[in-house]
Amino acid sequence: GIWPCHRAIAPSPHLPLSPAMTPERYTRSVRLRPRSRRIAPLHRSYASAAFVVHLLLLIASVPSCASSSASASALASASALASATATTVPGVGQDECVVPSNDRDDVDESGSRVDDDAAADDDSPPPLLSNNNNGRVSASELNGAEEVVRTEAERRKEPYPNKEEGEDDDDDDDDEEEEECGLYMAQSSIPNSGLGMYSNTNITEGSNLFYDDIVIAGYEYHVNRKLHRLKYGVDLEDDDDDQQPAWIMASYAWSAAYSNGNYDADYTEASIPGTGMLANSFLGLVNALKRRAETDDAGLSRRTGSPGAGAFSHHHGNRFVAGDSIVEGQEIFIDYGRSWFEYREEIMGPIPFDEEYDMADMLLRKFFELERANVDDDDDDDDGTSLSPDVLGGLWELIREDLLGDRVRLHMALPRNLEGARQAHQTGSAAHSVPGMMRTPQWLRENGACLDNIRPGLSNIPHAGRGAFATRRLKEGRIVTSAPMMHMHRDSLRMYRRDESGTGGGNGDKGESIRYTGDQLLLNYCYGHPNSSVLLFPYAPAVNFVNGAPEGTQPNAFLRWSDMSYHRSEWLDMSAGEVLTKDHTGLILEFVASRDIQEGEEILIDYGDGWRDEWDRHSEGWNVSDDDRNYVSASVLNDMDAPVLTAREQKDEPYPSNVMTACLVPEDYEQG
């Protein structure tokens, strides 16, 4: 029951619908109108019924999964227009369902996004906030402190003190840097879908859209959230959804198989905080294809004895490539999987899939071919029976409103009127549904935020793994990158295990057998205050690679709240509880250069004294055991495609203690 508001940073909740798909319009579109007001004038306009017969044959050829009496009745009424001929319409009301194959099981009860050939997983229900060296952002601001960082407009009136008085802003250089940006975050062309991603350069088919994304696995979110509530005596049968913290990640998660983490736990989900979370999906216009992640621990496995081992995700190398040529200014659309939309149909209404848009394009092509053929015939006969615009408009309305029967998705893919049909015939029905998918460079500069100022790479900081590096020179005060922030309750990342011995230390009878075991890895990528229940998880390309400046090193960037129109500044005046009940994202943080940053320089912010103290305590207490020295990731062993050792073989050549073997039996397996 979580409203699918991913990307809903814009004021409207997330409903990735085309202009022809809004709930109000859908309500109107499926209502059958009286036929008499169209059929009579159509009948008077025809000297020959040939066009209508061809039209009926065309509609009868469009596959439908079920026939409706309304559809058959509409066809029968329209057939009266052809009564002067003996032609009949075969298969009316009896056409067999022919739907393109879709064998993938790409969503489960949670509606998670999945890989095309992977089964989805079920859904479930810290570092300190960084402070820059000038104190511009403090952790208390996350809790609604009155004094906040100046907005862009405020800074223009009152610059930061480290800017030389009277110093020229060098607008020409700034414009030049802006023009270099090749990837933007801006309002999506899909109405009510919040933010999306746009390419500001031409990308050839098969080329990477951007640098590799990180993949952060989450283990049994739904189980752990349930155990947390049981442990602390929350009545699961008396759940007031309006008061419970929202779990927004449910609308963003990908299949575990996509991250190579499907064997890490019974139920695993993957967060892909770059393109995988920020880009929208429009199934008729998918232009970016996902590739599976790789396993890479950046050389800091448990075998090395590094205290950073396990502190960051070892799933890397996820990338999206252009499935078709992407031109400058085009919005990037990825494939969530059709079941992601089917799961949310009760809220979003029926969304056309790519096959519906293909059918719509075919119908449009045939319709206007018949029109041209009729005009050519009229020119030869010269009897004045050419179809008028009113007649054609009536025919199109007849097709869309009456002749499609229960093919609601196809109905939604078709333009509402003849003028729209002509436009869709030229552009394609899917592109016609999203007229704003192309943006000019000027529009992107004025309304978007640059995303390709940083790239991932191996960090220069010991034990840090990867970091974020500048792709171009960034002047002091320039925005390095912007990141929407997903809010979540700190307790939602706690992990538990049932203790069969009954010594779990729970509070009360319900929690006696439940033991707290640690926190999800996602916690290491969140921002928050230690005394607040609110955690903020940033999602944008490469933003999760930004490290904290080590002791003795000055940061070169700081955080501030964005002044983009999609940032809900009013949330900063709310209590933590109020923010946590919001079922869509609404906050945006900016990473800003505190001094000139050179190309290739690592971006560093201030994680805060508290974080550094905890890291020092962790490092000093880190010990390497024999098991650690023998550690080998199960993902590495699976990638080797080596035969699995038998129990007898394992006596002489045992697997590392962290690895177990298991047999996978298909659900439809029948022992023969």
Side-chain angles (χ1 to χ4, degrees), residues 211-275:
Y211 298 97
D212 296 350
D213 277 342
I214 191 174
V215 179
I216 306 170
Y219 304 112
E220 301 179 336
Y221 281 126
H222 67 300
V223 173
N224 284 291
R225 295 176 74 211
K226 180 178 180 179
L227 291 177
H228 174 80
R229 301 182 67 192
L230 284 172
K231 179 176 178 64
Y232 293 102
V234 179
D235 188 351
L236 298 179
E237 302 299 325
D238 185 22
D239 185 9
D240 186 350
D241 288 338
D242 292 335
Q243 301 301 320
Q244 292 298 323
W247 181 241
I248 310 174
M249 189 65 77
S251 290
Y252 292 77
W254 290 84
S255 161
Y258 182 54
S259 67
N260 291 333
N262 45 323
Y263 302 129
D264 290 355
D266 287 343
Y267 298 99
T268 309
E269 296 173 339
S271 302
I272 308 174
T275 305

Side-chain angles (χ1 to χ4, degrees), residues 171 176 330 335 391:
D171 291 335
E176 183 178 350
Q330 186 173 357
D335 186 358
V391 171

Side-chain angles (χ1 to χ4, degrees), residues 444-506:
L444 291 174
R445 287 195 299 270
E446 294 175 353
N447 298 278
C450 184
L451 296 176
D452 70 350
N453 285 329
I454 57 176
R455 61 168 177 80
L458 291 179
S459 176
N460 299 316
I461 303 173
H463 309 297
R466 287 174 171 79
F469 296 82
T471 59
R472 56 179 62 93
R473 179 176 179 270
L474 301 169
K475 296 186 63 176
E476 178 184 349
R478 293 302 301 269
I479 298 174
V480 177
T481 191
S482 300
M485 308 297 285
M486 178 183 293
H487 56 272
M488 61 188 72
H489 198 289
R490 184 181 297 271
D491 290 344
S492 64
L493 300 184
R494 293 170 67 87
M495 301 174 70
Y496 298 90
R497 179 172 296 174
R498 288 186 181 274
D499 190 340
E500 300 299 335
S501 66
T503 59

